[in-house]
Amino acid sequence: MRENLEEEKKRSDQEVVISEEALQEAAKYVEEEEGPSRRLTGRMDAFITVVAVVMSLVHLYAAVGVIMTQVLRGIHVMFVLFLSFLVFPSFKRFKNRIIWYDYLLALLGIATIVYMLIDFDQFIYRSVVPNSWDIFFGIVLILLVLEATRRSSGWIMPGVVIAFLVYAFIGPMLPPPWTHRGYDLDRIVGHMYMTLEGIFGVPIDVSSTFIILFTIWGAFLDLSGAGKFFIDFSFAAMGGKATSAGRTVTLASFLLGGPSGSGVATTVTLGSVAYPMLAKAGYSKEAAGGLLSAGGIGALLSPPDLGAAAFLIAEFLKISYLDVIVMASIPTILYYWAIFLMVEFDAKKFGARVIAFDRTHSLWDLTRMYGFHFTSLIAIVGIMVLGYTPIMAVFWSTVIA
């Protein structure tokens, strides 16, 4: 008896170590994907949280209230720039502290938008003939956006943008077929800063309406315990066979990925819980990592969120978001069905074993006690079927959550 207890304790301690290692490794992948964000504490952490909450409330109000399009986009960019310079360090060595110029850049982000909104009616009419202050604040905003993008996603995106800006200037110097008449600074700043075609174009429109509201909804779901329920539900539904561990990861990836819309977030959330289970079932590190990654990346296909690209598709093609969800349903089903089949085929290859699941609650008990977490998932589609916009659907689904 004593030997069994000691062996069980040793196994339990090993699982904890594995889980902590998995979390640390997952954090590293998140940084590579989303940038090395600061881990702030104390008053600054509270201040940033308050700013983020105010930003969320403004956008929730915009879902049911009326805010002029360019004003909403400007406010959205202002909040994003302000938070970006405080949350994302300029270099990794400044990850644990905010430098003086971070505050300066954050305040400049506010100033460029406040200047735009102070005399908004005259501002938009000057887009073809911007004055010196328009040009100054326009250049500052372009540089701030490039720097915020570099901090959050690396050099590739700002590098592409800089290349296109340079191309706009040097058109007359280029050989055919690349040549064009070229644009001066006034024209570029007027277009990028003072119209709805540049910085405040369709991507910012989608970000300030659809994406942020779906992000808020996903956060409410997560904090309400829906994420844990989806994982527990998958464990209860798929337990009892050699392929149960792989099936559980696949089903949980689908349930978690739909609301989050983020492949990285889904993989990290599930990986910290499911990796020890996959290891006990006989999966190697490579096989377990591949399964978790494949299941997580399906979040970009899974209704109702589908990731940022889905909203851009709906906006650019001028179709309803419900149509995008319907069209995405078939590839989503095929994608996860293919993963299920590969789990079955690979079970013998990896020597998968039956593992013990926590049977505290049966599938029926879990559904009866916590099934309400499915309500907002169903509501978001049901409200759109009734003819309401995706913005109203996600707003009321957030209230329901």
Side-chain angles (χ1 to χ4, degrees), residues 242-243 281-283 341-353:
T243 56
Y283 284 79
L341 292 178
M342 290 309 299
V343 167
E344 297 293 331
F345 294 152
D346 288 343
K348 292 183 179 179
K349 176 181 175 182
F350 296 129
R353 301 184 294 270

Side-chain angles (χ1 to χ4, degrees), residues 14-254:
Q14 185 180 6
E15 287 176 13
V16 171
V17 171
I18 292 173
S19 181
E20 288 176 355
E21 289 176 354
L23 283 170
Q24 291 173 0
E25 196 69 19
K28 187 165 58 175
Y29 288 127
V30 172
E31 280 196 3
E32 290 177 3
E33 181 72 17
E34 301 180 357
S37 60
R38 290 186 172 104
R39 299 291 183 265
L40 300 171
T41 57
R43 292 182 179 179
M44 182 52 63
D45 180 50
F47 172 72
I48 290 174
T49 301
V50 168
V51 173
V53 169
V54 171
M55 179 184 181
S56 301
L57 292 174
V58 169
H59 284 84
L60 286 171
Y61 168 77
V64 293
V66 178
I67 299 179
M68 192 183 302
T69 301
Q70 193 156 349
V71 173
L72 177 61
R73 297 183 193 182
I75 291 172
H76 180 73
V77 170
M78 179 181 71
F79 274 114
V80 169
L81 287 177
F82 183 79
L83 291 172
S84 293
F85 291 119
L86 297 182
V87 172
F88 294 101
S90 53
F91 301 99
K92 285 186 177 180
R93 64 177 178 271
F94 300 137
K95 183 177 176 181
N96 297 319
R97 59 194 177 99
I98 299 178
I99 312 302
W100 65 268
Y101 57 77
D102 293 324
Y103 294 109
L104 176 61
L105 295 176
L107 292 174
L108 280 174
I110 295 176
T112 56
I113 304 302
V114 169
Y115 173 80
M116 179 181 80
L117 299 179
I118 284 176
D119 190 16
F120 182 70
D121 292 336
Q122 292 301 317
F123 178 83
I124 57 177
Y125 284 119
R126 292 198 305 268
S127 61
V128 291
V129 283
N131 61 35
S132 56
W133 281 111
D134 297 334
I135 294 172
F136 170 76
F137 281 107
I139 292 173
V140 170
L141 180 62
I142 291 170
L143 293 176
L144 290 175
V145 169
L146 289 171
E147 171 60 9
T149 306
R150 181 195 69 82
R151 291 186 180 205
S152 58
S153 62
W155 273 106
I156 294 177
M157 184 65 74
V160 171
V161 174
I162 290 170
F164 275 104
L165 287 173
V166 171
Y167 176 67
F169 281 108
I170 65 172
M173 307 176 193
L174 299 174
W178 311 108
T179 186
H180 61 83
R181 65 188 182 87
Y183 297 92
D184 58 20
L185 188 62
D186 290 7
R187 181 72 181 274
I188 290 175
V189 169
H191 179 82
M192 297 293 290
Y193 179 45
M194 306 174 75
T195 70
L196 293 177
E197 302 296 326
I199 290 173
F200 303 104
V202 172
I204 287 297
D205 179 37
V206 171
S207 177
S208 62
T209 52
F210 296 107
I211 294 175
I212 189 167
L213 291 175
F214 273 85
T215 302
I216 294 169
W217 171 61
F220 269 90
L221 272 185
D222 183 49
L223 290 172
S224 68
K228 183 179 184 303
F229 164 69
F230 292 152
I231 294 173
D232 291 342
F233 179 87
S234 302
F235 284 175
M238 296 297 173
K241 295 184 179 179
T243 56
S244 295
R247 288 180 175 186
T248 296
V249 168
T250 306
L251 179 58
S253 297
F254 171 72

Side-chain angles (χ1 to χ4, degrees), residues 8 11-12 14-15 18 245 274-283 351-357:
E8 187 65 30
R11 190 185 303 119
S12 177
Q14 185 180 6
E15 287 176 13
I18 292 173
Y275 176 74
M277 175 188 69
L278 291 172
K280 283 201 298 183
Y283 284 79
R353 301 184 294 270
V354 179
I355 61 173
F357 282 82

Side-chain angles (χ1 to χ4, degrees), residues 317-329:
L317 297 184
K318 302 301 178 186
I319 59 177
S320 74
Y321 186 64
L322 183 60
D323 290 336
V324 178
I325 288 179
V326 171
M327 288 186 283
S329 297

